Amino acid sequence: MKFISQYKLILLVAIFFATFYNLSFFTNVISTYEPVGQNILYICSLAIVLVSFTVFLFTLLSSKYTTKPLLIIALMVSSFTAYFMDTYRVVIDDEMIRNSLQTNLSESSDLFSLQLVLYVLVLGVLPSYFIYKIKIDYRPFKKELFFKIGTLLISLSFIVITILVFSKFYTSFFREHKPLRYHVNPIYWIYSTGNYISKTMNNGPIVVKQIGLDAKIQKTTDEVDKKELIIMVVGEATRADRFSLNGYKKETNPLLKKEDIINFPNFYSCGTSTAQSVPCMFSIYNRDTYDYKKGITTQNVVDVLINTKEVKVLWRDNNSSSKGVADRVDYEDYRTNKNNTICDDECRDEGMLVGLDNYIQKNKDKDILIVLHQMGNHGPAYYKRYPKAYEKFTPVCETNQLEQCTQEEVSNAYDNAVLYSDYFLSKTINFLKPYSKDYETAMVYMSDHGESLGENGLYLHGMPYFMAPDEQKHVASFMWFGEGDIKEDIDVEKLKSYSDKKFSQDNLFHTLLSFFEVETDVYKKEMDILNDAKKSH
């Protein structure tokens, strides 16, 4: 095999990246700038800038010991990112990287397909093998440095000259169409990886800031208070507009509609992924101020409840994990049949209800919060999320390759999963009903985020919040109150009168404190959904 200079190799790989790994990018560019007239020149100029910038970046990092490893890593990772961007139209930002790293093996297997194997083989393994085998001609240090500087200057010149020649276009491109750059492969995932490391790495051990140390349960002197028994169900990827309670044309809530629930049709998530939304909804921070480091270094609302010394908290998880929320409370994994007694093709959410009677009996002298984290509507294999008995809407998409199915088939599979959640949520309510004689009982349901089902070519979730469609942010949520003392404290009809107001996961922290009648400086009544319905007002 002939020798080749490392800079010529970098140029060839950069052209290869622009040609075969950026279908998502150029598809989005073409949908924004119709390829007619001068726009054709503009689109071609983007290819020149993309190749030049890729050459500049890898040349900057090149050396005798880094060029081959960096190119091989970039090709392998980019083959995966190309597949997911082309197939599901997702964006690989720092939160998507976090979500991917926190996904378990079972969830990851739902994403496996023959098409993914072909992408990795053709765009990853084969070109990587070529680079591994090719012989690079490394010149003496001074000569190599001269060529390196020359390559950097030439590639930078191409970038600057192209942008100056088409300055009007690039002014529009950078100012008005920023989201387009999120589809550039491999540049954006490389940037996002750096961003993820910056946001995640800590200097030294994690120190968790304590909050709500003054928390205490309000006591009444004229009667013996019943203990609280609250179940909080954290849903997965359930859109508000797929609840028939919210006017959806298909009957996806046949059981919940029979219950006296307070539905919140205008409820919004903190993020568009589980890794972002779950810790955010339980945190003291709102969506605008929350970030990963704040989340892991600050106690959350379940910690504040524990600080009262009068509340027991149990977290049962049939999803990937609690994302750090339950690190300091009782936690049980229900993803396998080790704990979950209701498993077929996969372990079902309703299995999390089994054995709760024992926990309640064991802690009968305490207030109790039980959090159930659903598998829910986790995609893309929606057809796996429900037993066959709940396959009411047909035909269904029975593959994780959603783009190979019609939108009706994708919707039907997703809606069947919502139907099974309706059954599980109704079963949870009926589990609580007998306890209403001895406890103040309630259930809170809140999905972590929504889901795209092919609208505008988008699937799944995880888009950056500012550019995410409503389907990924507008989530299903409701409450249920047991008969008895709790309804003496909360005017349910009053709550229903303003339940269509816009609420978000920012409200959960303060609302949970309100359920348990906790007094603490960190409680804000203006953020408490129940506040205006309290009969003491």
Side-chain angles (χ1 to χ4, degrees), residues 474-523:
H474 188 189
V475 298
S477 181
F478 67 84
M479 293 177 185
W480 171 87
F481 297 93
E483 297 299 326
D485 291 357
I486 195 165
K487 288 188 176 179
E488 293 178 11
D489 300 326
I490 303 295
D491 186 338
V492 174
E493 293 307 313
K494 179 71 180 294
L495 181 56
K496 287 180 179 179
S497 72
Y498 63 83
S499 63
D500 60 348
K501 285 176 58 178
K502 186 175 181 179
F503 292 106
S504 76
Q505 291 171 349
D506 294 348
N507 298 105
L508 179 65
F509 182 97
H510 308 279
T511 303
L512 279 180
L513 293 179
S514 182
F515 267 113
F516 287 91
E517 301 172 276
V518 174
E519 291 180 339
T520 172
D521 288 342
V522 295
Y523 166 74

Side-chain angles (χ1 to χ4, degrees), residues 231-441:
I231 294 183
M232 165 89 196
V233 178
V234 179
E236 167 66 35
T238 307
R239 293 163 45 156
D241 66 355
R242 292 306 174 103
F243 259 33
S244 54
L245 291 171
N246 293 324
Y248 186 46
K249 61 184 179 181
K250 295 180 188 174
E251 183 61 272
T252 53
N253 302 126
L255 299 177
L256 285 177
K257 75 175 183 180
K258 298 175 183 178
E259 304 293 346
D260 185 21
I261 67 170
I262 299 91
N263 184 43
F264 298 100
N266 292 306
F267 212 95
Y268 283 81
S269 65
C270 180
T272 62
S273 68
T274 304
Q276 175 82 359
S277 287
V278 170
C280 180
M281 72 166 78
F282 285 92
S283 80
I284 192 171
Y285 303 105
N286 59 33
R287 189 184 69 79
D288 293 330
T289 58
Y290 173 85
D291 62 41
Y292 173 76
K293 282 188 178 179
K294 286 180 179 178
I296 63 170
T297 58
T298 310
Q299 286 188 337
N300 56 65
V301 67
V302 298
D303 295 305
V304 177
L305 292 174
I306 294 295
N307 290 343
T308 66
K309 305 292 193 295
E310 297 186 52
V311 182
K312 287 289 291 183
V313 180
L314 171 66
W315 185 294
R316 286 186 168 182
D317 209 296
N318 195 33
N319 203 294
S320 50
S321 75
S322 74
K323 310 305 179 187
V325 177
D327 283 356
R328 294 167 292 277
V329 300
D330 294 337
Y331 177 89
E332 295 174 352
D333 185 349
Y334 269 69
R335 291 172 295 173
T336 69
N337 57 14
K338 180 181 178 181
N339 287 324
N340 197 327
T341 59
I342 304 178
C343 301
D344 40 58
D345 294 336
E346 65 181 29
C347 289
R348 301 301 178 188
D349 292 331
E350 61 185 296
M352 292 189 286
L353 297 173
V354 178
L356 284 183
D357 293 303
N358 296 333
Y359 183 85
I360 295 168
Q361 177 63 26
K362 182 181 175 182
N363 297 285
K364 60 184 179 182
D365 60 334
K366 297 280 189 179
D367 291 319
I368 298 172
L369 171 66
I370 298 169
V371 182
L372 306 177
H373 189 191
Q374 283 186 270
M375 176 57 79
N377 279 62
H378 195 284
Y382 307 118
Y383 69 99
K384 292 182 179 180
R385 302 291 94 88
Y386 54 87
K388 279 293 183 181
Y390 292 87
E391 196 166 275
K392 175 182 176 182
F393 309 111
T394 56
V396 300
C397 181
E398 295 188 345
T399 174
N400 58 13
Q401 297 291 107
L402 300 180
E403 78 285 356
Q404 294 179 6
C405 299
T406 66
Q407 198 154 356
E408 179 192 10
E409 290 169 335
V410 174
S411 288
N412 285 340
Y414 181 89
D415 293 340
N416 288 329
V418 176
L419 187 67
Y420 176 64
S421 280
D422 173 78
Y423 162 75
F424 164 67
L425 295 169
S426 174
K427 190 172 182 176
T428 304
I429 290 172
N430 283 286
F431 170 84
L432 282 170
K433 284 179 180 178
Y435 285 100
S436 297
K437 298 174 184 177
D438 302 312
Y439 290 87
E440 292 190 8
T441 57

Side-chain angles (χ1 to χ4, degrees), residues 26 29-30 32-48 162 166 169-170:
F26 285 110
V29 168
I30 289 170
T32 304
Y33 298 96
E34 187 180 357
V36 294
Q38 277 196 315
N39 282 357
I40 296 175
L41 291 176
Y42 298 152
I43 294 168
C44 290
S45 78
L46 280 172
I48 294 171
T162 304
F166 300 105
F169 164 74
Y170 281 97

Side-chain angles (χ1 to χ4, degrees), residues 56-170:
F56 182 87
L57 176 64
F58 284 103
T59 300
L60 194 64
L61 300 172
S62 67
S63 74
K64 184 176 182 179
Y65 304 103
T66 61
T67 299
K68 277 191 175 185
L70 285 176
L71 291 177
I72 289 171
I73 291 170
L75 286 165
M76 289 301 300
V77 175
S78 295
S79 67
F80 281 94
T81 58
Y83 168 77
F84 287 107
M85 289 194 295
D86 295 349
T87 304
Y88 299 114
R89 302 294 189 266
V90 298
V91 168
I92 313 298
D93 65 350
D94 58 292
E95 288 303 326
M96 181 62 79
I97 292 171
R98 186 184 316 284
N99 203 43
S100 301
L101 293 175
Q102 293 183 10
T103 297
N104 61 40
L105 182 62
S106 175
E107 292 174 337
S108 298
S109 65
D110 280 349
L111 297 168
F112 181 82
S113 69
L114 177 60
Q115 189 173 338
L116 172 58
V117 173
L118 290 174
Y119 262 78
V120 174
L121 180 64
V122 175
L123 297 182
V125 175
L126 293 180
S128 294
Y129 179 76
F130 171 80
I131 289 172
Y132 173 75
K133 295 297 288 183
I134 202 168
K135 298 182 184 299
I136 296 179
D137 179 21
Y138 293 105
R139 305 174 183 87
F141 176 76
K142 286 186 178 179
K143 207 173 225 185
E144 198 68 46
L145 182 63
F146 174 78
F147 276 97
K148 180 170 185 169
I149 294 172
T151 304
L152 289 171
L153 289 175
I154 291 170
S155 56
L156 188 61
S157 298
F158 268 97
I159 296 169
V160 172
I161 292 170
T162 304
I163 290 174
L164 288 176
V165 169
F166 300 105
S167 59
K168 187 177 179 180
F169 164 74
Y170 281 97

